């Protein structure tokens, strides 16, 4: 949540900041701001409530500089207005700070050190910048020493990614992080910082990691990394092999539609990356060896990734026969269940940065338990800190509502379950032709995205007016119901729930009124008849029932028919119409599909 950029050493500063912020807008979009300094005596602070376009519109031609910092915000402290937007600055207008995260002890710091200072905002960030100023002016410290003192005073449970500028050293960015993501970008003659690699990819593909509790000083031709004890550290750079245009919308009205459409290609890419010519999974043997020693797999994730984990658990149990449970990271992190003797952890995270998931991983590492992160972002925090990583190869996902990352996560889980089962010599895994099945999935997805018009018609007919809606199913169809309902509620604001269809009668059926949409997902032979009966029960109470059914289980009146694939990976297809139904419902209501209210794509606060 919140995106940060900074650059020093170029007269393109303003355009680099704005371009970077636009690429980070997925991290928060309720207000934005920049501070730039021309190093010849002029500086500018421009902030606006609302989207980056509002900020851009406020820039006049004279706003130019040789260094600057920028921020796009997802409010945690104080409403999203101009005063609370970042950069926050000190009372004497010497220091400017952008921040992503939450300072848990900001009230204590304010009380103890800043009772004489008049505050302009309600943010925790302003406390930090005022405190740096206080230590510099009142205690006669230099900026570095003052910042270090502040960093030491910030409580350990706080999270931050900071970029600080001092008007008296206008070519220097002071940078530090704890828990929140931040990278240095190495340019030619100038250097940058950003919350992710994509925000800097137009300028460079060479990056440097920053670890928690380091102070990094970024200058045009030099980057210094030190521990809080002034010990200088050497850090190698790494390159990211990604086309910056991969994050462009092209001719699509919204990223979400582009990302839904990309799913067949993502499936084919995963086949290429992970399955050899003979269909044998190419998975690191060390990973398989560690997994086979486990007596229980724990899958941890949030939001859509948690839902992908629900499907994965069934795959691991079926093909590798290892008991598997799935946990919401924000629950697991603070209320840990009793664990088995030999646990193995699988972290699912599109971004690789979700704060609650990271909290669990820190604990896992403290206990030296082995782990795997399945993520879309190479070198992300969860990827760097887990024992193993498998990448999703889905390309940048920009829309807040996750689509292609979900299907990529399920596909990677299917490949891994097959690989592990084969490694263990299990027959079910040997019989599961994952390469052939994923090829069928890719074709099936293509057929579904090609029939958008029909799905749009269903959305406008059935979902545009009702206040609430239900997705129901059993087993894997229930897992998909949860994801389908999440898609609908997050972007169209229809109050949608996913239910185990057998549970409806135990309470929820009381909510069914005339024309309440109830969408049944039917892809599992064992439970298809039961789910159909449950749908009928709701129809008898006035529900408007719709069905998404696999061809081999389909009936004449079904609303959407899915091409047949192995039932174990049917979620890869049944989720696609649900994604499209949510998209068209949101579109029909004239909402901003990619940036739904109150949400952000990367949740880096707990
Ligand atoms: C946010 C996003 C969701 C995502 C969740 C977990 O809520 O809007 O799309 O599923 O975070 O994110 P992760 O990056 O860990 O998968």
């Amino acid at each position: 949540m919140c995106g940060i950029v900074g650059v020093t050493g170029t007269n393109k500063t303003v355009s680099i900041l704005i371009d970077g912020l636009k690429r980070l807008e997925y991290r928060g979009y309720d207000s934005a701001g920049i501070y730039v300094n021309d190093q010849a005596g002029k500086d500018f602070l421009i902030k606006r409530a609302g989207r980056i376009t509002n900020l851009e519109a406020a820039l006049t031609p004279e706003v130019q500089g040789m260094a600057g910092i920028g921020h796009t915000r997802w409010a945690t402290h104080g409403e999203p207005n101009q005063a609370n937007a970042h950069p926050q600055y000190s009372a004497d207008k010497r220091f400017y700070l952008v921040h992503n995260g939450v300072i848990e002890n900001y009230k204590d710091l304010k009380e103890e050190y800043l009772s004489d200072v008049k505050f302009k905002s309600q943010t925790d960030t302003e406390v930090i910048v005022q405190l740096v100023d206080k230590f510099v002016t009142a205690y006669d410290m230099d900026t570095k020493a003052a910042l270090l003192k502040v960093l030491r005073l910030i409580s350990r449970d706080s999270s931050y990614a900071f970029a600080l500028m001092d008007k008296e050293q206008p070519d220097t960015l002071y940078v530090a992080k704890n828990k929140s993501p931040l990278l240095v970008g190495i340019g030619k003659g100038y250097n940058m910082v950003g919350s992710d690699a994509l925000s800097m990819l137009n300028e460079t593909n060479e990056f440097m990691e920053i670890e928690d509790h380091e102070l990094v000083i970024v200058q045009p031709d030099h980057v210094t990394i030190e521990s809080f004890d002034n010990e200088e550290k050497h850090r190698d750079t790494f390159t990211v092999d990604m086309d910056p245009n991969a994050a462009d919308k092209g001719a699509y009205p919204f990223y979400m539609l582009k990302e839904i459409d990309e799913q067949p290609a993502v499936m084919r890419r995963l086949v290429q990356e992970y399955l050899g010519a003979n269909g044998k999974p190419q998975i690191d043997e060390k990973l398989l060896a560690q997994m086979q020693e486990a007596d229980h797999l724990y899958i941890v994730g949030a939001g859509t990734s948690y839902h992908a984990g629900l499907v994965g658990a069934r795959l691991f149990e079926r093909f590798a026969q290892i008991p598997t449970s799935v946990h919401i990271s924000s629950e697991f992190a603070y209320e840990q269940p009793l664990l088995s003797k030999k646990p193995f952890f699988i972290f699912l995270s599109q971004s690789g940065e979700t704060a609650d998931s990271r909290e669990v991983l820190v604990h896992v590492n403290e206990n030296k338990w082995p782990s795997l992160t399945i993520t879309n972002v190479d070198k992300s925090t969860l990827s760097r800190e887990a024992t193993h990583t498998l990448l999703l190869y889905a390309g940048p996902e920009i829309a807040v509502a996750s689509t292609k990352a979900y299907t990529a996560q399920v596909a990677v889980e299917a490949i891994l379950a097959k690989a592990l089962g084969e490694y263990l010599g299990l027959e079910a895994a040997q019989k599961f032709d994952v390469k052939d099945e994923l090829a069928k999935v890719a074709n099936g997805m293509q057929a579904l995205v090609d029939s958008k018009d029909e799905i749009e018609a269903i959305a406008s007919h059935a979902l545009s007016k009702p206040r609430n809606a239900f997705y129901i199913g059993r087993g894997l169809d229930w897992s998909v119901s949860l994801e389908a309902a999440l898609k609908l509620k997050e972007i169209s604001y229809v109050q949608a729930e996913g239910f185990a269809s057998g549970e409806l009668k135990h309470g929820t059926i009381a909510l069914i009124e005339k024309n309440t949409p109830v969408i049944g997902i039917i892809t599992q032979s064992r439970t298809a008849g039961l789910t159909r009966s449950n749908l009928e029960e709701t129809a008898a109470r006035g529900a408007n029932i719709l069905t998404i059914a696999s061809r081999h289980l389909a009936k004449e009146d079904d609303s959407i028919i899915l091409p047949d694939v192995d039932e174990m990976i049917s979620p890869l297809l049944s989720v696609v119409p649900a994604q499209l139904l949510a998209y068209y419902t949101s579109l029909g209501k004239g909402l901003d599909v990619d940036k739904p209210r109150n949400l952000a794509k990367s949740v880096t606060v707990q």
Side-chain angles (χ1 to χ4, degrees), residues 7 13 18 44 62-63 74-75 87 145 194 222 246 296 330 429 483 489 497 508 517 520 525 530 535:
V7 60
T13 287
I18 296 293
F44 306 88
E62 62 155 355
V63 180
W74 187 88
H222 202 66
H296 196 111
S330 57
E483 173 58 10
K489 70 180 130 190
E497 299 304 333
T508 308
S525 321
L530 292 168
L535 280 167

Side-chain angles (χ1 to χ4, degrees), residues 302-305 348-354 357 382 397 399-402 409 486-487 490 599-603:
T304 290
S305 293
L348 291 181
S349 178
Q350 187 284 129
S351 62
E353 301 294 348
T354 299
S357 301
L382 288 168
E397 189 182 68
V400 164
S402 179
Q409 283 170 337
L486 176 63
K487 287 293 85 90
E490 67 185 331
L599 296 176
K601 183 147 192 77
S602 185
V603 180

Side-chain angles (χ1 to χ4, degrees), residues 347-503:
F347 290 86
L348 291 181
S349 178
Q350 187 284 129
S351 62
E353 301 294 348
T354 299
D356 287 311
S357 301
R358 172 146 196 250
E359 190 69 22
V360 181
L361 180 53
V362 167
H363 180 66
V364 163
N365 286 339
E366 278 165 7
N367 285 283
K368 301 200 165 43
W369 290 318
S371 59
L372 160 72
T373 290
I374 300 179
T375 181
N376 204 22
V377 184
D378 195 11
K379 311 279 192 314
S380 54
T381 307
L382 288 168
S383 151
R384 290 197 311 264
E385 296 182 358
T387 326
H388 305 273
T389 296
L390 292 176
L391 292 176
L392 296 176
Y393 296 108
E397 189 182 68
I398 309 291
V400 164
S402 179
T403 52
K404 61 179 178 173
Y406 171 85
T407 45
Q409 283 170 337
V410 171
V412 170
E413 288 173 313
I415 294 167
L416 180 59
K418 151 96 178 165
L420 185 56
E422 274 192 347
Y423 189 76
L424 291 161
L426 299 171
E427 199 188 335
Q430 278 150 2
K431 280 195 184 146
F432 176 47
D433 187 346
V434 71
K435 185 174 184 187
D436 188 49
E437 288 300 327
L438 288 179
K440 280 198 256 169
V441 164
N443 293 339
M445 283 175 162
Q446 195 60 56
L448 289 166
V449 297
D450 287 346
S451 60
K452 286 190 186 77
D453 292 353
E454 288 160 42
I455 298 177
E456 182 173 13
I458 297 173
S460 93
H461 179 246
L463 295 169
S464 60
K465 301 230 165 56
R467 229 167 18 101
N468 45 21
F470 299 94
Y471 274 94
I472 65 168
R474 290 175 183 240
L476 284 171
D477 292 335
W478 174 32
S479 304
V480 177
S481 295
L482 295 171
E483 173 58 10
L486 176 63
K487 287 293 85 90
L488 190 59
K489 70 180 130 190
E490 67 185 331
I491 60 169
S492 74
Y493 315 148
V494 174
Q495 200 227 333
E497 299 304 333
F499 269 97
S501 64
E503 272 293 294

Side-chain angles (χ1 to χ4, degrees), residues 579-590:
Q579 296 167 342
L580 287 164
L581 285 172
Y583 174 81
Y584 284 114
T585 307
S586 174
L587 193 71
K589 291 183 168 184

Side-chain angles (χ1 to χ4, degrees), residues 43 73 148 192 207 220 231 256 323 345 371 397 429 436 447 456 472 496 507 548 577 589:
D43 62 353
R73 179 168 187 249
L148 270 172
M192 282 161 284
F207 301 98
E231 203 179 294
M256 184 176 176
F345 285 82
S371 59
E397 189 182 68
D436 188 49
E456 182 173 13
I472 65 168
I548 298 174
K589 291 183 168 184

